[in-house]
Amino acid sequence: MDARLNYFDSVTAGKILKPVMTAGKAVKDSPLPAATQELVALRVSQINGCAVCVDMHTKEAAAAGETAVRLNLVAVWREATVFTEAERAALALAEEGTRVADAAVGVGDEVWANAAKYYDEEQLTALVILVSFMNMVNRLNIITQQPAGDYQVGQF
């Protein structure tokens, strides 16, 4: 499968995506725990069907020490016992933040309040930006049919 566009060869993409990726790096450097970031990025990408992001975040999480069991259970986190209450709160917020059109109200007050029990304001800010960032990147990849499978840890 070939991508419809090659972002790396595009002058326009370079001008626009360079600051976008810098923003993504800033989220990575935020006080939101790294494991939570990878779980959230993976779950958002699963919901959106972004194969290249599922590939990347699965490999990055594994390289950072995440277990195969937890990675395999992200898609069914509600029924899995391997996630902390804080991670579950972040995953719930990520799902509602990704399925905005389905919920018609965005992120509900109960989901927000639960996340706020585990994350301070800086971490919540990073979580909201991460969910939004992943949704944007997923769409960039899905629209242009970016292929998955070749990602190498640390590539971006």
Side-chain angles (χ1 to χ4, degrees):
M1 175 177 176
D2 291 326
R4 291 175 171 162
L5 292 175
N6 183 337
Y7 292 131
F8 298 106
D9 289 344
S10 170
V11 173
T12 300
K15 287 179 184 176
I16 296 167
L17 295 180
K18 184 176 182 183
V20 167
M21 297 316 285
T22 299
K25 172 79 168 89
V27 173
K28 277 219 166 288
D29 295 339
S30 77
L32 185 64
T36 302
Q37 289 188 41
E38 290 300 336
L39 295 173
V40 164
L42 177 57
R43 185 64 190 129
V44 169
S45 299
Q46 288 172 336
I47 292 167
N48 287 328
C50 183
V52 70
C53 288
V54 168
D55 181 34
M56 175 170 53
H57 292 289
T58 300
K59 290 174 180 174
E60 288 290 344
E66 194 58 74
T67 68
V69 169
R70 283 172 40 98
L71 291 175
N72 289 326
L73 291 175
V74 168
V76 292
W77 64 269
R78 280 183 179 81
E79 294 82 19
T81 60
V82 297
F83 301 105
T84 68
E85 289 304 312
E87 290 167 339
R88 297 169 74 73
L91 289 165
L93 191 145
E95 284 197 2
E96 285 197 6
T98 298
R99 294 183 163 141
V100 204
D102 298 341
V105 295
V107 175
D109 291 339
E110 185 177 322
V111 166
W112 182 264
N114 193 39
K117 287 189 329 192
Y118 300 101
Y119 301 101
D120 64 27
E121 191 165 319
E122 291 301 311
Q123 292 171 318
L124 280 171
T125 298
L127 180 58
V128 168
I129 293 170
L130 174 61
V131 170
S132 301
F133 177 83
M134 287 308 304
N135 275 285
M136 179 192 65
V137 173
N138 287 169
R139 282 151 179 77
L140 287 167
N141 290 325
I142 292 165
I143 291 168
T144 59
Q145 296 182 343
Q146 298 296 317
D150 295 331
Y151 180 78
Q152 299 295 316
V153 173
Q155 184 175 333
F156 298 120

